């Protein structure tokens, strides 16, 4: 009696697993400036550090006040911190050439879908710190504020969530620009 090699069944099993792998979709925020954030100073947007739950490529879903999930096949094209930095830079980018430069950075506290009674929405919460470019970290910041904006996620998910996150970021940029004008 001859022994049959087990390589063929294993190979068939592996090929079957590969054939059933779902397509991964990648997303980025809409980086076109909305034009609502007008700043009369030079602005440099630096690093935004996401919380641990946001520090991954999958889009976050707050399924309930006590449960967090992530989309299985929907991912960010770059880190959440990079997405926030790029969007704020795009919104605040057309700044005046003169004057003191302001440096903006902070933490990403919330960035994703929130499921509620009225359906899904997109929520962004940023703890933003603004300093003069020449100021050291030991000096008090010019501005330290948490911005929290929620927008509806209308239409098909998760793309609608990404559009909602883009609009929430535009609203935060407009609020931030108004705060910078008051400095």
């Amino acid at each position: 009696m001859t022994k049959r090699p087990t390589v063929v069944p294993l190979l068939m099993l592996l090929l079957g697993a590969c054939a059933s792998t779902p397509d991964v979709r990648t997303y980025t925020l809409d980086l076109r400036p909305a034009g609502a954030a007008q700043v009369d100073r030079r602005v440099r947007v630096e690093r935004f550090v996401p919380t641990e739950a946001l520090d991954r490529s999958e889009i976050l879903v707050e399924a309930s006040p006590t449960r967090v999930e992530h989309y299985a096949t929907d991912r960010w094209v770059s880190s959440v911190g990079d997405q926030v930095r790029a969007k704020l830079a795009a919104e605040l980018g057309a700044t005046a050439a003169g004057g003191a430069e302001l440096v903006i950075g902070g933490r990403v506290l919330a960035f994703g879908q929130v499921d509620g009674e009225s359906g899904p929405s997109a929520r962004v919460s940023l703890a933003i710190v603004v300093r003069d470019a020449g100021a050291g970290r030991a000096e008090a910041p010019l501005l330290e504020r948490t911005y929290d904006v929620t927008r509806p996620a209308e239409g098909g998910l998760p793309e609608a969530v990404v559009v909602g996150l883009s609009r929430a970021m535009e609203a935060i940029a407009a609020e931030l620009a108004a705060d910078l004008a008051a400095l």
Side-chain angles (χ1 to χ4, degrees):
M1 188 184 230
T2 61
K3 291 188 176 182
R4 291 185 123 176
T6 58
V7 174
V8 174
L10 286 174
L11 185 59
M12 295 299 284
L13 181 64
L14 286 173
L15 288 174
C18 292
S20 64
T21 303
D23 290 333
V24 173
R25 293 175 296 270
T26 46
Y27 295 89
T28 186
L29 293 178
D30 180 352
L31 297 179
R32 296 172 295 181
Q38 301 297 318
V39 181
D40 61 355
R41 296 168 132 178
R42 290 181 299 139
V43 175
R44 179 172 21 124
V45 181
E46 291 191 335
R47 189 170 181 218
F48 274 81
V49 179
T51 62
E52 189 174 335
L54 295 169
D55 196 16
R56 51 190 295 171
S57 62
E58 297 87 3
I59 298 173
L60 180 125
V61 178
E62 291 180 33
S64 76
T66 59
R67 192 175 80 242
V68 174
E69 300 172 351
H70 291 85
Y71 278 101
T73 59
D74 298 287
R75 293 179 167 69
W76 292 113
V77 71
S78 62
S79 75
V80 167
D82 287 345
Q83 295 282 321
V84 166
R85 188 203 55 72
K87 183 61 174 171
L88 282 179
E91 293 297 324
L92 302 172
T95 60
E101 182 180 40
L102 299 175
V103 178
I104 300 170
R107 292 191 42 83
V108 185
L109 306 174
F111 197 83
Q113 177 179 325
V114 177
D115 291 341
E117 291 179 17
S118 60
S121 58
R123 178 176 174 233
V124 177
S125 183
L126 304 176
I128 294 179
V129 177
V130 179
R131 300 181 187 283
D132 276 322
R137 295 269 179 210
E139 293 181 47
L142 297 173
L143 174 69
E144 193 167 9
R145 178 178 167 200
T146 299
Y147 297 83
D148 197 311
V149 174
T150 302
R151 292 289 181 259
E154 300 169 356
L157 296 174
E159 190 163 348
V161 172
V162 175
V163 170
L165 291 169
S166 296
R167 299 306 158 258
M169 285 295 303
E170 292 163 4
I172 287 173
E175 283 184 56
L176 176 58
D179 288 344
L180 296 178
L183 294 178

